[in-house]
Every structure is written in structure tokens, then in C-alpha cells.
């Protein structure tokens, strides 16, 4: 069995003590084991800060961008092998695995390209210099400087490659070293990516470290210039926010957590129109892609009451075409959920939703394809229907992180906005409509509760990748339940890793400093 090692203080380290075992969720076969016991976390974070941070800060944005390009290339060059690992350890279909692995290389390449516009400098200007007194010479110039700490990245199990790539791209380009901690259960892909980057000797010593398993007491060693970027469940986020250095030393924290994302069929969208078909396509994709284990997946589907039955029928008939089973078996189009814990949680979530909504699909005999009898963590696509969403509660409060969604009826645009906002803040909501006044009313009514609102109208119906795809040009994150975080968004993504500071003084001196910086 493979033994995963962590990469700390410039060396590979195999932990001692009782290991965690990583399995194939389709067959429950053990694939690898890992332990982080015995890691000197204080030393690892210190090495990253002192050695990695110092080296990165000497490089220009363009030079850091070239490193991101090399990281992207090495991932892409090893794509097939990484896809195989994702299929085995994550229960991904090949297409799911591509979504993750290509998402990582694509995001790194995007930031490599972006670095060109920042060119040979090391300091980012934040706006123009502002005159501070009557005379024109005394001015204030805001700068964004790399924080002189370490960026600790704690990732969720569902995107071991993309989660690594999207966080790494912004941190490294901003000039901060990273310590990445993938979720233990699916760490094989992230472990291999780090191995490839280390073997290719792309980054300066200390710029990249890996904790391949449980975090131990690592967070106790965070200091005031460090940042902690977390993706995962809201409960874990609450624990991390209460960590002593976060409270005492104001460690900067970004949280990407649960989200009850919604899709709204607009009041004007007629069944069988291009806009309607795009809506059905996106809902079905989000229920099944990565077996519904996407933070951005549509969980709540809002439709005009008159179309409720038609929509349920159309979505259910498409979902019935999916073949659930071992992703390595031909014709399988949806794999298992990632872990035994996930299976338990998803089943419990389905029972909770069933208390208040009726089940239209997913209740009945179910035989996954290509697996030994009784093995694997499988859940069939499951669809609920809710006629009175304003009287329901679980559907707006409990994220079932699997192939599960609820279709709900609404009566007018105002009510649709109210229903969507019951989710308490989300990553993304999507609206399928062509009537500009309805689009304006709904989109502006829900936008402040979301990081993104995707508007799909007939003319872009075949161009949008759907709301579940996070593109690096736009921000990823959302208020409230979604964690209150913000990642990506082009250069905005560097802000979290930078300290804003205003230099005040003689304009000529400040200009010279900036020029040299
Ligand atoms: P999780 O159980 O909260 O774990 C997330 C990460 O936190 C894992 O790496 C885990 O490590 C680590 N962790 C747990 N306790 C910790 C502690 N005390 N100190 C430091 N790290 C700790 O979440 P998950 O089950 O992996 O992911 C599912 C959840 O993530 C869902 O709720 C989903 O909505 C959310 N999610 C959100 C986004 C987003 O971008 N908003 C994206 C993906 C997923 P171990 O694995 O070693 O326990």
C-alpha cells in the first residue's frame, strides 16, 4: 500500500503512529495510508516564513507568474495519471476528474497570464496617490505588500487538485509561501501534484509545503502575519475561527463553507425554449457532476408554480438516464460519494428533507454497477418537490452534500427573491430568463446574498459553463452561511495575501520607492 508523506522544511516526512487509511469509495479497497504524527509544525511554518517567504519576495510578479505557468504545465503533462488517481481515490468519473485537475492547471495558467500585466515590479499600487494637504507634494499612496507570514491552506475533500491550484495561484503570485493541507480522505491527488512540483524543482525552497493528513496542532503555531484559508464545512470553520492565534493575534482567515445554492427559472421562460432547456441541463449537471459534491451545486430549484410538474418530470427523466456505479466500469456516469462519513451524512440529510418535502426520485431499489455486492458509498440521484417553500425549513438550512436537490414553486418574482434569501447567504445563484425587467428585479434582489449571480438568457444559453464552474476571473465565495469569504476574481484574489499600507510623504520620494519596489 502506498504511504503518503508530508513535505515540510524542504524534506519529505513519513509520520509515525497509527495511520489514516485512504480508500477507493467505489470498492472500499484500501489505497494508501498516511500519518502526520511527529511533524514539527512550528519548524515547518517557520521554514516556510523565513526561507520560502524571503525567496518569493525577491521575485517580481512576472517571475512568480512563470513559476505558476510551470506548475500548470507539470500538472497538465501528468494529466492522465492524475485523472486515474482522482477516479480511484475520489470516486470521480473521468469527466469529474477532469473538472478538478483541469481546473487546477487552468487556474494556475490564468494567474500566470495575469502576472504579465504586473510585470517587473514587486509591489502593487492600490489606487492613485491622493493629495493630503494644500500643497501638491504631500501625498498618500496605498500599497499592497506581501504579508511576511505563511499562508496555510486547508482544503475540502471534493476538489483536491483545483482546491490546491486556486489557492496556490493567488498566494504565490502575491509573494506568500504556502502550506497546503488537503482533506485526508482524498489526499492522494494533492500529494502527487506536490510531488510533481517538487521533482520539477519549480519553486524556491520553503515556498510550498504539504501536510498530507490530519492537521495536529499546526494552527496553534500561526502568527499575526500568517493567513489561514479554509474550505470545508461550517462547523469546522467555526472551530478554526476560535483557534487561539486567530482570536489573539488577528490571523487573517478566509472561509469557503456550506451553501444552499439556487437556480431560478424566470417567470417568462416557457418549457422547451432554449432558456428552459439550459436550466434543465444545468440542474441535472449539478445534481450529478461529482455526485453532487460541489460547493457550488444547485440545491434549491425555483420554478413558476404553473411549470412545477413539467420541470419535475423533465429533470427526473434526465436523471433516470444516469448509470450509478464504479467509475471504471463502462457506461457509468455517476460515481459514489467520497467517504463512508459522506454516505452517512447524505442519507441523514435525505431523511431530513423527506420530513417536509415529497420525493419524486431516488426512493427504491438501487444496484450500483460494477461493484461487489454491498460495497461502495453509493447514493442515487434524488429529487424532492416542495409546494410551499416559505413554510419549509430544512431545505433552506441543511446542505445535503450529494446528488440531491429540491424543486420548489414560487408565485411571483418578489417571492422568488424571498425564498432564495432564506438560504442565509450563498456562493452562487443562477437565473434563467429573457425578460429584462424580471431579470433586473430578481438578480438585484438576490445579488447581495451571493458571491455570484449567473444570468442565462437564450443568446448565451450555449455559451455558459453553468453556475457550478468557478472561473478565476470572477470571485468565488459568499456571505453568511457560505462562510463570508472571497477568493479569485482576477487580481482581487491577491488582496487576501497582501497587507494594505499607506505611505505618506513627498510625492517624488514615494514615486521613487514605488519605482524601485
Ligand atoms: P470538513 O470536514 O470541514 O474538512 C475540511 C478540511 O478541514 C479538511 O482538510 C479537514 O482535514 C480539515 N480540518 C478538520 N478539522 C480541522 C481542524 N480542527 N483544524 C484544521 N483543519 C481541520 O469538510 P469536508 O467534509 O472536507 O468538505 C465538505 C464541506 O465543504 C461541505 O460542507 C461543502 O459545502 C464545503 N465546501 C465548500 C466549498 C467552497 O468553496 N465554499 C468547496 C468545497 C466544499 P481532515 O480531512 O484531515 O479531517
Amino acid at each position: 500500500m502506498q504511504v503518503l508523506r508530508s513535505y515540510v522544511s524542504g524534506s519529505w516526512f513519513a509520520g509515525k503512529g497509527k495511520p489514516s487509511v485512504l480508500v477507493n469509495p467505489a470498492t472500499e479497497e484500501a489505497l494508501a495510508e498516511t500519518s502526520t504524527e511527529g511533524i514539527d509544525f512550528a519548524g515547518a511554518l517557520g521554514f516556510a516564513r523565513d526561507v520560502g517567504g524571503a525567496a518569493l519576495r525577491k521575485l517580481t510578479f512576472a517571475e512568480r507568474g512563470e513559476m505558476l505557468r510551470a506548475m500548470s504545465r507539470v500538472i497538465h503533462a501528468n494529466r492522465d495519471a492524475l485523472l486515474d488517481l482522482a477516479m480511484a481515490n475520489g470516486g470521480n468519473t473521468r469527466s469529474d476528474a477532469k473538472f478538478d485537475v483541469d481546473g487546477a492547471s487552468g487556474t494556475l495558467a490564468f494567474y500566470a497570464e495575469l502576472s504579465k500585466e504586473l510585470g517587473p515590479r514587486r509591489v502593487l499600487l492600490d489606487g492613485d496617490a491622493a493629495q493630503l494637504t494644500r500643497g501638491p507634494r504631500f501625498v498618500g499612496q496605498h500599497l499592497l505588500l506581501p504579508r511576511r507570514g505563511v499562508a496555510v491552506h486547508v482544503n475540502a475533500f471534493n476538489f483536491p487538485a483545483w482546491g490546491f491550484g486556486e489557492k496556490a495561484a493567488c498566494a504565490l503570485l502575491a509573494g506568500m509561501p504556502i502550506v497546503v493541507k488537503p482533506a485526508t480522505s482524498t489526499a492522494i491527488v494533492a500529494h502527487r501534484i506536490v510531488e510533481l512540483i517538487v521533482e520539477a524543482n519549480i519553486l524556491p525552497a520553503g515556498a510550498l509545503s504539504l501536510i498530507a493528513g490530519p492537521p495536529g496542532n499546526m494552527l496553534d503555531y500561526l502568527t499575526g502575519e500568517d493567513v489561514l484559508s479554509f474550505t470545508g464545512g461550517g462547523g469546522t470553520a467555526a472551530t478554526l475561527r476560535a483557534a487561539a492565534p486567530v482570536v489573539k493575534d488577528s490571523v487573517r482567515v478566509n472561509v469557503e463553507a456550506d451553501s444552499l445554492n439556487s437556480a431560478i427559472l424566470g417567470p417568462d421562460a416557457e418549457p422547451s425554449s432554449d432558456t428552459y432547456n439550459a436550466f434543465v441541463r444545468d440542474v441535472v449537471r449539478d445534481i450529478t457532476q461529482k455526485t453532487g459534491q460541489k460547493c457550488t451545486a444547485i440545491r434549491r430549484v425555483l420554478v413558476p408554480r404553473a411549470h412545477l410538474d413539467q420541470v419535475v418530470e423533465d429533470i427526473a427523466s434526465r436523471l433516470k438516464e444516469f448509470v450509478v456505479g464504479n467509475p471504471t466500469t463502462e457506461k457509468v456516469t455517476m460515481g459514489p460519494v467520497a467517504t463512508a462519513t459522506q454516505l452517512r451524512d447524505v442519507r441523514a440529510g435525505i431523511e431530513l428533507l423527506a420530513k417536509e418535502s415529497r420525493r419524486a426520485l431516488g426512493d427504491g431499489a438501487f444496484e450500483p454497477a460494477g461493484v461487489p455486492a454491498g460495497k461502495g458509498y453509493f447514493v442515487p440521484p434524488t429529487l424532492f418537490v416542495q409546494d410551499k417553500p416559505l413554510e419549509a425549513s430544512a431545505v433552506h438550512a441543511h446542505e445535503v452534500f450529494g446528488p440531491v436537490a429540491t424543486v420548489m414553486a414560487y408565485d411571483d418574482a418578489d417571492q422568488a427573491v424571498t425564498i432564495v434569501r432564506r438560504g442565509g447567504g450563498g456562493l452562487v445563484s443562477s437565473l434563467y430568463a429573457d425578460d429584462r425587467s424580471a431579470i433586473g428585479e430578481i438578480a438585484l434582489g438576490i445579488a447581495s446574498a451571493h458571491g455570484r449571480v449567473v444570468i442565462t438568457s437564450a443568446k448565451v444559453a450555449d455559451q455558459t459553463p453553468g453556475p457550478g464552474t468557478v472561473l478565476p476571473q470572477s470571485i468565488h465565495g459568499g456571505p453568511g452561511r457560505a462562510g463570508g469569504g472571497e477568493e479569485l476574481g482576477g487580481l482581487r484574489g491577491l488582496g487576501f495575501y497582501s497587507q494594505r499600507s499607506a505611505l505618506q510623504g513627498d510625492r517624488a520620494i514615494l514615486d521613487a520607492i514605488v519605482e524601485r519596489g
Side-chain angles (χ1 to χ4, degrees):
M1 188 162 31
Q2 186 186 4
V3 176
L4 303 188
R5 293 171 304 161
S6 295
Y7 188 68
V8 287
S9 303
S11 309
W12 290 99
F13 180 91
K16 302 165 182 61
K18 191 171 179 294
S20 307
V21 177
L22 286 66
V23 303
N24 179 327
T27 61
E28 300 180 39
E29 172 203 354
L31 299 174
E33 60 179 37
T34 187
S35 165
T36 51
E37 210 179 303
I39 291 180
D40 170 11
F41 287 114
L45 298 186
F47 184 79
R49 274 180 214 114
D50 298 342
V51 179
L56 284 169
R57 288 194 300 276
K58 284 197 186 116
L59 302 175
T60 63
F61 285 107
E63 287 166 334
R64 293 176 206 151
E66 281 314 305
M67 297 184 322
L68 300 186
R69 194 180 310 285
M71 289 165 71
S72 168
R73 285 191 176 141
V74 88
I75 292 171
H76 190 68
N78 291 276
R79 182 176 188 250
D80 282 338
L82 290 168
L83 297 183
D84 288 345
L85 294 178
M87 289 173 74
N89 187 206
N92 294 182
T93 62
R94 198 170 169 78
S95 148
D96 289 344
K98 285 182 197 165
F99 192 60
D100 185 28
V101 172
D102 293 346
S105 52
T107 306
L108 287 160
F110 170 84
Y111 275 96
E113 214 40 42
L114 203 61
S115 73
K116 284 186 186 163
E117 72 187 57
L118 305 175
R121 50 180 20 163
R122 292 176 187 80
V123 174
L124 275 181
L125 298 187
D126 179 25
D128 295 331
Q131 187 177 321
L132 299 177
T133 52
R134 271 212 203 135
R137 275 205 91 104
F138 188 65
V139 298
Q141 171 68 60
H142 287 90
L143 302 179
L144 288 168
L145 302 149
R147 288 169 73 97
R148 295 195 171 202
V150 58
V152 173
H153 291 165
V154 178
N155 286 327
F157 71 83
N158 54 346
F159 284 104
W162 175 78
F164 163 78
E166 57 108 16
K167 285 184 169 64
C170 291
L172 293 171
L173 186 55
M176 275 194 94
I178 59 175
V179 172
V180 56
K181 195 219 105 42
T184 302
S185 57
T186 59
I188 294 179
V189 172
H191 178 268
R192 182 63 190 138
I193 288 176
V194 172
E195 258 184 357
L196 289 166
I197 293 168
V198 171
E199 281 164 13
N201 202 16
I202 293 169
L203 296 168
L208 169 63
S209 307
L210 168 76
I211 305 298
N217 64 349
M218 173 170 64
L219 302 188
D220 291 349
Y221 300 105
L222 291 174
T223 63
E225 281 205 82
D226 297 337
V227 301
L228 171 62
S229 182
F230 168 77
T231 298
T236 315
T239 308
L240 266 53
R241 280 187 165 123
V246 174
V247 176
K248 190 170 133 296
D249 300 323
S250 311
V251 173
R252 194 179 273 182
V253 179
N254 190 76
V255 171
E256 302 290 345
D258 319 348
S259 179
L260 289 151
N261 311 299
S262 48
I264 310 155
L265 181 68
D268 62 307
E270 287 300 324
S272 297
S273 63
D274 288 347
T275 306
Y276 177 92
N277 291 339
F279 161 78
V280 172
R281 173 200 69 198
D282 287 358
V283 171
V284 169
R285 186 203 287 122
D286 268 19
I287 293 173
T288 53
Q289 190 173 43
K290 297 214 73 159
T291 317
Q293 300 165 113
K294 273 188 327 196
C295 51
T296 50
I298 297 164
R299 310 285 176 200
R300 301 178 300 150
V301 183
L302 279 72
V303 303
R305 192 170 295 281
H307 300 321
L308 184 66
D309 292 343
Q310 179 73 56
V311 167
V312 172
E313 193 185 317
D314 288 344
I315 294 174
S317 73
R318 293 278 305 277
L319 290 174
K320 282 181 193 156
E321 292 166 10
F322 279 78
V323 180
V324 182
N326 188 338
T328 55
T329 303
E330 212 188 330
K331 295 201 183 116
V332 163
T333 45
M334 193 178 96
V337 295
T339 63
T341 310
Q342 260 290 101
L343 178 65
R344 190 195 61 212
D345 290 352
V346 170
R347 283 183 175 159
I350 288 173
E351 290 318 309
L352 193 66
L353 294 183
K355 286 188 180 150
E356 60 179 24
S357 301
R358 76 191 138 86
R359 202 178 318 204
L361 187 73
D363 200 8
F366 163 67
E367 282 283 334
V371 290
K375 289 288 183 191
Y377 312 135
F378 293 97
V379 183
T382 303
L383 195 65
F384 286 98
V385 185
Q386 177 52 251
D387 302 289
K388 296 180 179 166
L390 287 173
E391 291 173 25
S393 56
V395 70
H396 306 301
H398 188 78
E399 181 199 47
V400 184
F401 208 59
V404 184
T406 303
V407 185
M408 303 184 261
Y410 73 83
D411 296 307
D412 56 42
D414 229 21
Q415 198 187 63
V417 170
T418 305
I419 295 168
V420 168
R421 297 189 73 101
R422 284 275 162 97
L427 296 174
V428 59
S429 182
S430 45
L431 172 60
Y432 300 79
D434 288 281
D435 178 90
R436 291 183 185 193
S437 103
I439 292 174
E441 190 182 342
I442 297 175
L444 296 183
I446 60 177
S448 65
H450 296 86
R452 273 190 302 134
V453 174
V454 182
I455 301 163
T456 301
S457 50
K459 288 197 176 145
V460 295
D462 61 355
Q463 291 174 34
T464 134
T469 301
V470 174
L471 297 167
Q473 294 88 338
S474 298
I475 57 165
H476 173 60
R481 187 188 306 281
E486 193 175 291
E487 295 180 320
L488 300 171
L491 285 180
R492 294 174 190 86
L494 276 58
F496 178 68
Y497 300 99
S498 310
Q499 181 61 43
R500 184 179 287 111
S501 180
L503 296 191
Q504 300 179 332
D506 182 332
R507 186 186 289 269
I509 293 178
L510 298 197
D511 284 350
I513 293 173
V514 169
E515 191 62 33
R516 271 207 300 275

